[in-house]
Amino acid sequence: MNPKYEAVIGLEVHAQLLTESKIFCSCSTKFGNEPNSNTCPVCLGHPGVLPVLNKKVVEFTVLMGLATNCKINQQSIFARKNYFYPDLPKGYQISQYEEPICEHGFIEVNPKNGSSKKIGITRIHMEEDAGKSIHDQSSATLVDVNRCGVPLMEIVSEPDIRTSEEAYLYLNNIKKIVQYLGICDGNMEEGSLRCDANISVRLKGENKFGVKTEIKNMNSFRNVERAIDYEINRQIDLIEEGEVIVQQTLLWDADANEAYPMRSKEEANDYRYFPDPDLLPVIVDDEWKTEISKSLPELPETKYKRFISDFSLPVYDAEILTQTKSLADYYESVISITDDYKTASNWVISEVLAVVNEKKIDISDFPITAVNLGKLINLIKVGTISGKIAKEVFALMLQDNSDPEQIVKDKNLVQISDTSEIESIIQKIIESNQAQVQEYLGGKEKVFGFFVGQVMKETRGKANPKLVNEILRKMLR
Ligand code: ADP
Ligand code: ZN
Ligand code: MG
């Protein structure tokens, strides 16, 4: 990127809320049902019907507002956003416009080389989703309105983001927060979390913002980063060539790795918003707000900082362990059994996550319970088994979550830490490998490894490696 310029970025994020029923009717929100079966006169937009607000949608959105330091407005208003589209039978989308439910919040991000930074949140509002047009299943376009009325929460950021990395971190924090709150599954690939990026560039030191474009249709975190970088460079190149930036909406094409403009007809934004006369103002009084705030869990950022300060974990470990609430919970259960925090972190991050990722399962379906993993770590800590044998025990535990103490007993895996026992094994090895002894004594340091290997072979890996080293050094003189 040309260093004379800086980018200005604001994100609009839509999160699909995990309610059982839709926002204004009792139809199911279940994904994958027969097309047009999750419907009723309300979400089909028949005339004369009345929407009834789903209380859960308000509670979920207020939770998000509280989690992102927003002011929760006592009163907020639903508005009609009018536009025509085949998958929007009513001809308008119910959203919030002038008086949203949450405003003026922020989310902290921690870029790799820089201090932490607050990204402002302008507003969070509630709205309904539209249906889906399906173009690839017949020669005609099919419409499935199951998604009409599925509740969404839209989070609009201030233009505070300066790089694609900050955008990524901001979005990832939103994902973590909604998952911790249990209000959205946060899956970008499946569309339950969607992001539109508004981007402009300006010369460094310039106060005024440049003309922005908006990129849509990025369905992964990686694509958000790539699309933003692409657009920043495109705008800088245009300006350098003396051209002007045209305000427009672009669609990201992940395969071509470029963005192309939407047809201007599709982006004519004249929504003629007006308050929806069918819906009363939403009132969230202090009592209700307090009630909702009681279900706020410890948030990812707080947990991350606590893992560093209380367990002395490196930033890297804390970041990975707090990525999801279930993983953080698992780790905390492990360290309720053992106080070897760093070893526990190493085991969870490398051994546990390797299996979880390979099997593509959630940590909650991981076969080894936190208690048993904690016990295994304690067996290493007190010297009952070596780290190497522990890997073997771990592999056995994976099969049926059996108790590591039992496995070690049954398979006779207890580490040999008896000095005289190790000495006598070494003595025998020295006697029958005189050629190697001479080589070692002649200065061939490498041969030392051969002796360690022999001891391990003789003890089937059970000899305490530290003792073996010490005693070998002593005896090979
Ligand atoms: P619009 O009216 O075009 O929807 P808004 O003012 O509602 O624009 O802002 C939409 C998003 O664009 C917000 O996230 C905001 O932070 C961001 N934004 C506004 N102006 C700019 C700009 N000049 N460059 C980049 N982002 C911007
Ligand atoms: Zn319905
Ligand atoms: Mg806008």
Side-chain angles (χ1 to χ4, degrees), residues 343-361:
T343 308
S345 168
N346 293 346
W347 276 84
V348 172
I349 290 176
S350 40
E351 308 304 321
V352 175
L353 283 186
V355 177
V356 164
N357 292 335
E358 193 212 307
K359 293 196 174 160
K360 297 195 170 67
I361 53 172

Side-chain angles (χ1 to χ4, degrees), residues 208-225:
K208 263 183 36 213
F209 288 154
V211 173
K212 74 174 160 77
T213 60
E214 180 172 0
I215 303 196
K216 292 178 178 290
N217 204 31
M218 301 160 289
N219 54 5
S220 73
F221 281 84
R222 181 86 193 92
N223 277 330
V224 171
E225 273 192 297

Side-chain angles (χ1 to χ4, degrees), residues 289-307:
K289 195 171 88 178
T290 309
E291 198 51 43
I292 296 171
S293 70
K294 283 182 191 154
S295 55
L296 266 181
E298 182 180 35
L299 294 167
E301 186 71 20
T302 320
K303 213 183 261 298
Y304 165 80
K305 287 179 178 159
R306 185 167 60 80
F307 276 22

Side-chain angles (χ1 to χ4, degrees), residues 134-148:
I134 301 156
H135 306 289
D136 57 5
Q137 282 182 18
S138 88
S139 58
T141 290
L142 306 174
V143 175
D144 177 5
V145 296
N146 278 354
R147 211 176 60 184
C148 273

Side-chain angles (χ1 to χ4, degrees), residues 76-354:
S76 67
I77 303 286
F78 278 106
R80 291 185 180 181
K81 179 179 180 178
N82 300 282
Y83 66 98
F84 171 79
Y85 210 74
D87 60 22
L88 186 79
K90 289 202 299 294
Y92 60 86
Q93 176 194 25
I94 305 179
S95 180
Q96 295 195 302
Y97 187 54
E98 276 167 346
E99 294 181 55
I101 188 159
C102 310
E103 286 179 290
H104 314 305
F106 66 85
I107 285 180
E108 218 175 297
V109 295
N110 303 295
K112 281 215 173 56
N113 47 11
S115 46
S116 78
K117 170 174 173 179
K118 286 176 180 164
I119 308 293
I121 288 177
T122 315
R123 55 187 279 144
I124 304 178
H125 66 252
M126 307 172 275
E127 62 185 30
E128 58 179 345
D129 208 346
K132 237 190 201 158
S133 300
I134 301 156
H135 306 289
D136 57 5
Q137 282 182 18
S138 88
S139 58
T141 290
L142 306 174
V143 175
D144 177 5
V145 296
N146 278 354
R147 211 176 60 184
C148 273
V150 165
L152 299 177
M153 161 176 86
E154 178 171 347
I155 306 153
V156 182
S157 89
E158 289 290 307
D160 289 345
I161 300 168
R162 292 291 171 269
T163 63
S164 60
E165 186 200 8
E166 285 177 13
Y168 170 87
L169 293 170
Y170 169 82
L171 196 57
N172 194 236
N173 280 357
I174 288 186
K175 173 187 165 153
K176 280 192 278 190
I177 294 169
V178 295
Q179 287 179 337
Y180 270 62
L181 298 176
I183 61 175
C184 165
D185 64 25
N187 193 326
M188 276 202 89
E189 285 77 6
E190 288 173 9
S192 48
L193 196 68
R194 302 168 218 160
C195 170
D196 302 334
N198 296 269
I199 302 161
S200 63
V201 298
R202 64 181 173 188
L203 285 170
K204 276 183 188 156
E206 172 67 66
N207 284 320
K208 263 183 36 213
F209 288 154
V211 173
K212 74 174 160 77
T213 60
E214 180 172 0
I215 303 196
K216 292 178 178 290
N217 204 31
M218 301 160 289
N219 54 5
S220 73
F221 281 84
R222 181 86 193 92
N223 277 330
V224 171
E225 273 192 297
R226 282 165 60 202
I228 289 174
D229 284 332
Y230 165 90
E231 181 56 12
I232 292 172
N233 286 320
R234 189 189 70 91
Q235 291 187 14
I236 292 174
D237 289 349
L238 280 176
I239 294 171
E240 285 288 299
E241 284 160 19
E243 308 220 15
V244 291
I245 308 297
V246 190
Q247 176 156 2
Q248 61 183 336
T249 303
L250 305 161
L251 292 179
W252 178 246
D253 180 337
D255 295 328
N257 204 19
E258 59 184 35
Y260 57 91
M262 235 172 152
R263 291 199 305 271
S264 56
K265 207 174 63 179
E266 288 176 353
E267 62 157 325
N269 290 348
D270 186 6
Y271 297 125
R272 305 287 301 274
Y273 280 97
F274 65 86
D276 192 316
D278 287 342
L279 287 153
L280 291 167
V282 180
I283 308 293
V284 181
D285 58 17
D286 284 345
E287 198 186 337
W288 194 17
K289 195 171 88 178
T290 309
E291 198 51 43
I292 296 171
S293 70
K294 283 182 191 154
S295 55
L296 266 181
E298 182 180 35
L299 294 167
E301 186 71 20
T302 320
K303 213 183 261 298
Y304 165 80
K305 287 179 178 159
R306 185 167 60 80
F307 276 22
I308 294 170
S309 64
D310 290 11
F311 310 138
S312 308
L313 291 180
V315 166
Y316 173 83
D317 294 43
E319 177 67 39
I320 295 181
L321 293 173
T322 56
Q323 199 60 230
T324 65
K325 185 168 179 295
S326 47
L327 186 65
D329 287 347
Y330 184 86
Y331 174 73
E332 289 210 84
S333 304
V334 175
I335 59 166
S336 68
I337 304 295
T338 172
D339 58 6
D340 203 342
Y341 304 139
K342 179 58 179 144
T343 308
S345 168
N346 293 346
W347 276 84
V348 172
I349 290 176
S350 40
E351 308 304 321
V352 175
L353 283 186

Side-chain angles (χ1 to χ4, degrees), residues 429-449:
I429 291 171
I430 288 179
E431 280 161 17
S432 49
N433 293 283
Q434 276 304 309
Q436 283 85 350
V437 172
Q438 292 316 316
E439 275 182 60
Y440 178 73
L441 294 177
K444 243 182 152 183
E445 175 64 24
K446 252 185 22 208
V447 185
F448 190 77

